[in-house]
Amino acid sequence: QVQLQESGPGLVKPSETLSLICTVSGGSVSSGNFFWSWIRQSPGKGLEWIGDMYYNGRPQYNPSLNNRASISIDMSRNQVSLKVKSLTAADTAVYYCAREDYGLDVWGQGTTVIVSS
Amino acid sequence: EYVLTQSPGTLSLSPGERATLSCRASESVGRNHLAWLQQKPGQAPRLLIYAASSRATGIPDRFSGSGSGTDFTLTISRLEPEDFAVYYCQQYANTPYTFGQGTKLEIK
């Protein structure tokens, strides 16, 4: 079955850009009618949907990130990417990628990101 | 943006008992695009229920969802030890998708 694996740096400095990768195995990012989402979870804000993308569509984002997020799909590598720029301590969270079918039906295990100098 | 309010914040019950969790939306959730997820410590959330009342693949039938419009309920008919966790509702009717703040189900 489909599995998702997030990867990226665990520690980033304030004002820098975070880059995360979600590698999809057991299925293709371009098959079916699936959107691919990024979600984050912090103690202060709970679960927050960052945005999503269909493989040949335009990404959509949560306005709460103030245009700092960018999602893309690399079909050749079967990966979904997330970039968040102008980081602050408030971006410290566990970041998850997930597949959208009827609801968020497949999740990665998450990767912890700490924003600190 | 849809605001989802879950109640109670914490529910203390014993194995074998029935659990009833509530989720109220700030406006009507279109097409009943409301999901319930379970999260255990150190794990990612897991989809239990989608479209308000449909069980996700592999979810035991002791889990059931109901409701429509602004009021939704997750019921666990007879609690098993592995059911003690945090439960979230989530709407996917309109972006930005939003989550409730969670109900912690703890062993009494």
Side-chain angles (χ1 to χ4, degrees):
Chain A
Q1 73 270 19
V2 172
Q3 293 185 312
L4 310 180
Q5 176 78 53
E6 304 90 347
S7 58
L11 178 66
V12 286
K13 290 182 169 51
S15 79
E16 291 189 340
T17 295
L18 170 66
S19 293
L20 297 177
I21 297 281
C22 173
T23 301
V24 180
S25 58
S28 170
V29 292
S30 58
S31 67
N33 291 318
F34 305 122
F35 281 68
W36 302 91
S37 264
W38 285 94
I39 301 105
R40 66 183 183 181
Q41 185 173 31
S42 60
K45 292 195 73 174
L47 287 160
E48 181 180 33
W49 179 79
I50 297 170
D52 70 4
M53 184 172 179
Y54 186 61
Y55 80 94
N56 69 350
R58 287 186 178 179
Q60 44 189 1
Y61 301 105
N62 193 328
S64 67
L65 275 89
N66 298 316
N67 298 314
R68 297 187 298 122
S70 175
I71 296 173
S72 60
I73 288 178
D74 185 335
M75 284 185 282
S76 67
R77 299 187 179 207
N78 221 30
Q79 292 177 336
V80 186
S81 298
L82 170 70
K83 294 186 189 297
V84 182
K85 61 184 181 183
S86 305
L87 293 171
T88 71
D91 295 307
T92 293
V94 178
Y95 285 75
Y96 297 99
C97 61
R99 186 182 78 172
E100 293 175 42
D101 187 4
Y102 293 97
L104 297 163
D105 69 330
V106 181
W107 292 65
Q109 89 286 356
T111 187
T112 299
V113 174
I114 297 172
V115 181
S116 175
S117 55
Chain B
E1 144 176 339
Y2 288 76
V3 175
L4 301 180
T5 303
Q6 293 186 240
S7 61
T10 302
L11 185 57
S12 300
L13 293 170
S14 300
E17 290 192 294
R18 180 184 185 91
T20 302
L21 288 67
S22 175
C23 176
R24 177 162 289 178
S26 59
E27 53 190 290
S28 183
V29 177
R31 294 164 291 168
N32 281 345
H33 278 191
L34 190 288
W36 289 94
L37 303 105
Q38 176 194 67
Q39 188 176 31
K40 297 180 180 178
Q43 296 184 16
R46 176 175 72 141
L47 180 68
L48 299 175
I49 301 288
Y50 64 91
S53 60
S54 297
R55 272 188 299 277
T57 303
I59 301 303
D61 60 7
R62 64 180 181 272
F63 291 91
S64 63
S66 62
S68 63
T70 60
D71 290 295
F72 299 89
T73 300
L74 174 70
T75 301
I76 311 171
S77 59
R78 283 180 57 85
L79 285 165
E80 297 286 342
E82 62 267 28
D83 298 337
F84 292 91
V86 179
Y87 292 83
Y88 296 95
C89 57
Q90 180 238 336
Q91 67 80 20
Y92 54 100
N94 287 98
T95 59
Y97 301 150
T98 51
F99 297 83
Q101 83 281 14
T103 290
K104 181 180 181 181
L105 179 55
E106 64 177 25
I107 299 177
K108 188 173 181 180

